[in-house]
Amino acid sequence: MKIIIAGAGEVGFHLAKLLSYESQDITLIDNNRDNLVYADTHLDIRTIKGDATSISVLKEANVKYVDLLIGVTSSESTNITVCVLAKQLGAKRTIARISNTEFLENKEELGFVKFGIDELISPEALAAGEIALLLNQSAFSDSYEFENGALIMIGLDLSRTAMFVGKTVKEAAAIFPKLNFVPIAIQRFGTQYTLIPRGDTQFKEGDQVYFITTRDGVDVLYKLTGKVKHSIKNIMILGGSKIGKKTARDLSKKNFNVKLIESDREKAFDLADELPQVLVIHSDGRNVELLEEENIHDMDAFIAVTGNSETNIMSCLVAKSKSVKKTIALVENMDYFQLSHSIGIDTLINKKLLAANNIFRYIRKGEVVAMTKLNNMNAELLEFIVKASSQVCNKKIKDLDFPRSAIIGGIIRNGEGLIALGDFYIKAGDRIVVCCLPRSINKVEKLFL
């Protein structure tokens, strides 16, 4: 697949890195030479120094032959302009990164497709949405919804109190035959090895496990894993960034009690005017005495979304020491993901990863309508639409030539989420959620072409 990425900043570079690992034909455009030198020496891609809104630069990048152009510069207007120009010059598909979430909310009314922009993505909006979802599933470390919750992916660490610790998947299924969830990925405590569970795979204490479940199955999982669903009402947000502002606005509309701490005086006053239902406090959120004065011990959740990863991590650790039930930290460094469970923070989120996941579904072959990468695991979760011509159509799951490093987590039929076993008969129009390791992605994609 031929892809142009306009913008070699944090999101652009991360995307280029992920896509280059998959042997995609990538051209990266940026007018900052330093950004390109680093990308050029670290990745197997083509780089062009120049203004991505220049027609001559786009032609140099062979825009008329590209399958996808992604505008992810720091300038919203540049990204929109690049996509419009690229579409006129022959690009098959375009995606623009934006920061103004009003564009997303009024996408259909504004008719961006008519201008030549096929998709809009906002890392800030994606992060705010992820935070809201994590607060809803308060005891779990990661979650993702397919088709408005018809199927839900949740990740958690197995404690000693989990009812199926020490049992194999097959034994657990025999003891709890009516359960409507399935394990799709496991990482053993203290390792970086991702395992796709089979019938003889044993659950062990400390395992990080991902499940696919229906909405009804979430409460059952709480009971079986010994997790407690905390009622979340009082929330403290550190940092009035775009993510902090959108999160505060969204949560206050849902009648949460929200306090937002911002260290910049002028910004704090602006936020107070824009967010009348939120208590905005001008102060340094790293000050432990201030957090105590603001009753941090009465908070149900603490969300740190400043521009500094270390500040976010440290303040979440302070919150955890004050018995805050749920802590979420925004981090830029992907390496921190491997530390989240050992240092005691409930969840780390990363804008680059969220944006990349959202864009990745356009690169995958087959009718992929949703995709996410599992936090801290080398596995992807994909939602395919079954076509009449797909190899899986009109077959039972047990009769499929499915790779062992992949598993069907669930199926959505007519809007209803189903946990499907071997005798389930797949039909055209079904939406199938598959978890797979990188080595099996190509084979899985071919089954759904």
Side-chain angles (χ1 to χ4, degrees), residues 6 30 82 87-88 102 133 174 192 199 229 238 354 402:
D30 199 286
V82 170
K87 202 59 177 268
Q88 295 301 315
E102 283 187 330
L133 193 58
Q192 297 300 316
K229 185 167 186 175
L238 177 63
L354 291 169
F402 222 70

Side-chain angles (χ1 to χ4, degrees), residues 147-164:
E147 304 304 310
N148 298 315
L151 288 176
I152 302 170
M153 179 275 290
I154 51 177
L156 54 89
D157 295 326
L158 288 186
S159 60
R160 196 170 61 255
T161 55
M163 290 177 70
F164 39 75

Side-chain angles (χ1 to χ4, degrees), residues 101-313:
T101 53
E102 283 187 330
F103 288 162
L104 280 177
E105 291 156 9
N106 300 281
K107 186 167 64 172
E108 304 306 323
E109 185 182 342
L110 294 171
F112 281 97
V113 175
K114 289 185 287 189
F115 301 140
I117 304 169
D118 295 302
E119 284 293 334
L120 298 171
I121 62 158
S122 165
E124 293 78 17
L126 291 168
E130 179 84 351
I131 289 167
L133 193 58
L134 288 164
L135 292 178
N136 188 42
Q137 308 296 351
S138 59
F140 302 130
S141 60
D142 194 9
S143 58
Y144 187 87
E145 289 190 351
F146 294 91
E147 304 304 310
N148 298 315
L151 288 176
I152 302 170
M153 179 275 290
I154 51 177
L156 54 89
D157 295 326
L158 288 186
S159 60
R160 196 170 61 255
T161 55
M163 290 177 70
F164 39 75
V165 163
K167 297 180 174 60
T168 65
V169 172
K170 196 170 182 178
E171 287 169 346
I175 297 169
F176 314 113
K178 294 181 180 178
L179 296 185
N180 42 359
F181 60 81
V182 64
I184 55 168
I186 296 175
Q187 189 172 86
R188 298 293 189 206
F189 180 74
T191 74
Q192 297 300 316
Y193 178 67
T194 302
L195 180 69
I196 300 296
R198 294 289 161 191
D200 57 355
T201 303
Q202 188 181 52
F203 294 108
K204 297 182 179 179
E205 182 184 347
D207 281 352
Q208 186 182 359
V209 187
Y210 281 84
F211 294 92
I212 291 288
T213 182
T214 60
R215 200 174 288 283
D216 294 338
V218 173
D219 289 336
V220 180
L221 266 176
Y222 271 113
K223 292 174 187 172
L224 293 176
T225 56
K227 301 290 181 182
V228 178
K229 185 167 186 175
H230 302 292
S231 173
I232 290 181
K233 187 67 180 174
N234 301 314
I235 298 168
M236 185 177 283
I237 299 174
L238 177 63
S241 60
K242 288 175 182 172
I243 296 173
K245 178 179 166 183
K246 176 157 178 56
T247 301
R249 176 183 282 127
D250 291 350
L251 293 176
S252 64
K253 285 179 180 175
K254 294 178 181 176
N255 297 318
F256 288 98
N257 299 323
V258 182
K259 287 185 180 181
L260 191 153
I261 300 174
E262 171 53 50
S263 58
D264 183 282
R265 180 181 172 83
E266 188 176 338
K267 194 172 184 180
F269 276 99
D270 288 342
L271 287 166
D273 289 337
E274 293 179 57
L275 303 169
Q277 293 174 295
V278 176
L279 176 59
V280 180
I281 301 160
H282 166 236
S283 192
D284 187 343
R286 294 172 295 183
N287 185 329
V288 178
E289 287 183 8
L290 165 92
L291 295 176
E292 289 179 338
E293 284 173 16
E294 293 302 330
N295 302 318
I296 189 170
H297 46 80
D298 291 335
M299 294 295 129
D300 302 308
F302 183 89
I303 302 162
V305 286
T306 73
N308 186 292
S309 300
E310 288 74 21
T311 296
N312 296 339
I313 289 172

Side-chain angles (χ1 to χ4, degrees), residues 312-346:
N312 296 339
I313 289 172
M314 292 308 296
S315 57
C316 278
L317 290 175
V318 170
K320 208 67 182 173
S321 74
K322 304 297 179 185
S323 302
V324 176
K325 302 180 191 87
K326 185 76 172 178
T327 54
I328 301 171
L330 177 74
V331 297
E332 293 304 317
N333 190 333
M334 302 289 287
D335 295 333
Y336 286 146
F337 271 84
Q338 297 175 7
L339 301 174
S340 61
H341 298 285
S342 58
I343 62 180
I345 295 173
D346 294 310

